[in-house]
Amino acid sequence: MDKIIYYGHATIGLELDGHLCIIDPFFNGNPKAPIGWREVKPEFLLITHGHGDHLGDTLDIYKQCKPMVIANFEIIEYLISKGVKNVHAQHIGGAYNHAFAKVKLTNALHGSMLPDGSNGGNPAGFLITARSGKKIYAAGDTGLFGDMGLIGEEGIDVALLPIGDNYTMGPEDALRAVKMLKPKIVIPIHYNTWPVIAQDPFKWADEVEKKTETKVVVLAPGATLDL
Ligand code: NI
Ligand code: MN
């Protein structure tokens, strides 16, 4: 069965059609990660942007099991310069049918500088269409933007939205995002990793469920949601 695995912060596993894909594989240095990077053997890595808490352990995991890395053109060029060979570059608005799902890059309002100061291009989110037809929207690090309404028009089953505030949307803007995206389920991410992004996800869940039709699933690090 397809499922979503939460590894804490913004690190998400997707088991789709028998393939493991990890979005933003940040294990080493992630105080919420329930396991280390050596314990994951993904076939695919999706990177939303260049910041250290998202690029994470991409290079170590690549050396370990050679997953295909999917990201924007600039991040892929950086990874190629670091010896990564199994890559697939896309860019905002472009979709491609990968072995595990169709993946479209979406807009995100944020930065994307890579750890060595290289230009990471525009940050992205991902709209992922599983073989089952289920659509998962991983917003990436982003502030609120009105074009979330366009993404919502596609019919989202599960949205993964940051609620931590400070670096991304906080709880109030994330509620406004839910109103535009209208997903069946929303999973809050990118909170409680450090004091600066401390939030109460259950308080947010109450608010969202009171004011929208969306169901909130709060996943503890290590927990999974069957799709
Ligand atoms: Ni970031
Ligand atoms: Mn971040």
Side-chain angles (χ1 to χ4, degrees):
M1 180 186 265
D2 287 354
K3 61 181 176 180
I4 295 176
I5 309 152
Y6 187 47
Y7 297 114
H9 194 53
T11 301
I12 306 292
L14 301 175
E15 264 187 42
L16 300 178
D17 216 27
H19 303 276
L20 176 64
C21 167
I22 296 181
I23 305 174
D24 292 347
F26 173 49
F27 296 91
N28 187 24
N30 176 354
K32 298 291 176 184
I35 56 173
W37 63 265
R38 287 181 181 81
E39 293 165 72
V40 293
K41 308 275 189 303
E43 282 179 66
F44 298 88
L45 291 177
L46 262 57
I47 313 300
T48 59
H49 65 290
H51 294 162
D53 57 321
H54 297 262
L55 186 70
D57 305 303
T58 295
L59 293 172
D60 284 327
I61 293 171
Y62 182 77
K63 281 178 205 141
Q64 170 168 270
C65 62
K66 305 285 189 291
M68 174 181 278
V69 188
I70 300 162
N72 75 17
F73 171 78
E74 291 83 358
I75 292 170
I76 292 301
E77 287 295 301
Y78 166 85
L79 292 172
I80 289 171
S81 80
K82 300 287 178 196
V84 176
K85 293 191 168 69
N86 188 13
V87 292
H88 186 107
Q90 295 183 217
H91 231 304
I92 312 290
Y96 187 84
N97 249 314
H98 293 280
F100 68 103
K102 183 167 133 187
V103 176
K104 180 153 88 173
L105 265 66
T106 59
N107 203 13
L109 278 183
H110 196 65
S112 187
M113 191 174 79
L114 287 151
D116 69 354
S118 302
N119 168 25
N122 282 309
F126 296 108
L127 185 62
I128 296 155
T129 308
R131 295 279 170 261
S132 65
K134 291 254 168 85
K135 285 193 196 248
I136 300 157
Y137 171 55
D141 279 11
T142 187
L144 183 70
F145 56 91
D147 286 353
M148 283 181 178
L150 295 176
I151 299 169
E153 283 174 9
E154 298 212 27
I156 295 165
D157 293 282
V158 182
L160 297 150
L161 299 183
I163 67 160
D165 222 340
N166 193 75
Y167 303 114
T168 67
M169 294 188 286
E172 288 164 22
D173 280 353
L175 167 62
R176 296 166 72 193
V178 170
K179 287 178 180 170
M180 284 191 274
L181 291 161
K182 300 184 173 65
K184 292 195 179 92
I185 290 172
V186 65
I187 299 172
I189 64 169
H190 211 281
Y191 66 91
N192 286 357
T193 319
W194 303 286
V196 71
I197 54 171
Q199 299 296 342
D200 181 346
F202 297 102
K203 188 171 156 231
W204 186 72
D206 285 346
E207 196 77 358
V208 170
E209 293 191 344
K210 202 165 21 165
K211 293 182 174 158
T212 74
E213 303 292 300
T214 297
K215 183 184 169 208
V216 183
V217 176
V218 176
L219 291 179
T224 64
L225 172 69
D226 290 335
L227 285 173

